[in-house]
Amino acid sequence: MSGDLRDLYQEVIFDHYKRPRNRGALEAATHHAEGHNPLCGDQVTIYLDVDDGVVKDVRFEGAGCAIATASASLMTEALKGRTVAEVDALFRRFHDLVTDDNAKASPELGKLEVLAGVREFPARVKCATLAWHTLNAALRNRHEPVSTE
Ligand code: ZN
């Protein structure tokens, strides 16, 4: 990754950390779940409004470090209007992006690409995937809190 690209990615992460998008509870939530990353202390609650298999709205509360907060914020932006099947596919792609050195960039990932750098920091992968694991639990109506440990 070139230095310029890395700087740009860090700028986007910092922006989402300082000004998280879609933060707050969702009154009309059809699904919700809580997640916790004990290693870093990140905590997140994901709220979803799913209608007829399509994500109408998604919000989050909590989070923690810059990576966990930015990842949750970027995730909420990426999900609106997608079907649950598309969300599952995106989660797999995102998981590959942050864990697999050979993962190829995918246009579908869009801005989520800025988190690719965490794969160099294994402890940070849990920060970056916490919101996604919690989302997954919410979609499947699992109500016991998710833990990355
Ligand atoms: Zn963290």
Side-chain angles (χ1 to χ4, degrees):
M1 201 185 287
S2 77
D4 285 353
L5 194 56
R6 194 182 298 260
D7 287 350
L8 174 69
Y9 282 6
Q10 276 172 1
E11 225 169 85
V12 174
I13 290 169
F14 191 70
D15 178 53
H16 277 262
Y17 172 51
K18 284 290 160 202
R19 296 188 305 120
R21 319 301 197 267
N22 304 303
R23 194 176 209 175
L26 185 59
E27 294 287 317
T30 54
H31 300 67
H32 67 95
E34 282 173 40
H36 184 210
N37 173 17
L39 202 67
C40 178
D42 308 314
Q43 245 165 331
V44 70
T45 305
I46 302 291
Y47 301 92
L48 288 158
D49 178 10
V50 180
D51 183 24
D52 208 14
V54 175
V55 176
K56 296 283 179 203
D57 204 357
V58 49
R59 304 236 184 118
F60 77 101
E61 279 188 319
C65 71
I67 297 291
T69 305
S71 180
S73 173
L74 285 157
M75 181 187 83
T76 59
E77 280 199 324
L79 297 184
K80 279 188 207 177
R82 292 195 193 247
T83 65
V84 171
E86 286 170 343
V87 168
D88 285 343
L90 194 64
F91 179 25
R92 283 194 297 277
R93 274 187 197 281
F94 179 74
H95 197 268
D96 286 349
L97 175 79
V98 295
T99 56
D100 181 356
D101 285 335
N102 299 313
K104 291 195 183 72
S106 155
E108 231 180 287
L109 285 165
K111 253 200 250 173
L112 297 170
E113 190 92 40
V114 301
L115 289 159
V118 303
R119 71 166 83 114
E120 290 165 44
F121 308 95
R124 290 285 167 215
V125 171
K126 291 180 176 175
C127 302
T129 55
L130 175 66
W132 288 88
H133 285 296
T134 308
L135 166 82
N136 200 41
L139 281 172
R140 276 149 194 83
N141 286 312
R142 277 192 244 120
H143 289 307
E144 67 276 22
V146 176
S147 175
T148 54
E149 290 303 295

